[in-house]
Amino acid sequence: QVQLVESGGGLVQAGGSLRLSCAASGIYFSINDMGWYRQAPGKQRELVAAITRGGMTNYADSVKGRFTISRDNTKNTVDLQMNSLKPEDTAVYYCKIQGPFRAYWGQGTQVTVSS
């Protein structure tokens, strides 16, 4: 069974940093595109950052220059380094892997940025 487990969320002051990690199992990791999404209360889930099987990345405009997505295919992990955090970054962050037939989602990890 495919499973994605996020970790690294928490409470941080504005300007601080967090590193989220997503560990995947049950799927051939190296050939799949992956991404980080977030959802704040009352808002739509939005793409934060994505990384393809080949390492190409893209970011939401709101996080460009502050967040970095990376993957380690040998460890089946995808990370999101978040720097210069802002209160508006507060959300539940979800890891997603795009498999050949469907997408798989993690359970989410809460990131709260205080002002």
Side-chain angles (χ1 to χ4, degrees), residues 34-38 45-50 58-60 62-63:
M34 302 189 72
W36 284 96
Y37 291 70
R38 67 187 181 189
R45 188 172 297 187
E46 64 175 346
L47 175 68
V48 177
N58 69 276
Y59 299 90
S62 60
V63 307

Side-chain angles (χ1 to χ4, degrees), residues 17-79:
S17 297
L18 287 172
R19 188 176 183 89
L20 307 183
S21 184
C22 174
S25 62
I27 190 167
Y28 191 25
F29 186 90
S30 65
I31 64 171
N32 292 292
D33 298 344
M34 302 189 72
W36 284 96
Y37 291 70
R38 67 187 181 189
Q39 187 168 23
K43 301 189 70 175
Q44 296 278 76
R45 188 172 297 187
E46 64 175 346
L47 175 68
V48 177
I51 186 165
T52 70
R53 72 186 83 176
M56 181 179 178
T57 60
N58 69 276
Y59 299 90
D61 288 341
S62 60
V63 307
K64 286 180 180 176
R66 300 189 296 120
F67 291 10
T68 303
I69 188 170
S70 61
R71 65 192 297 166
D72 187 338
N73 291 337
T74 67
K75 298 179 180 179
N76 282 6
T77 58
V78 57
D79 289 0

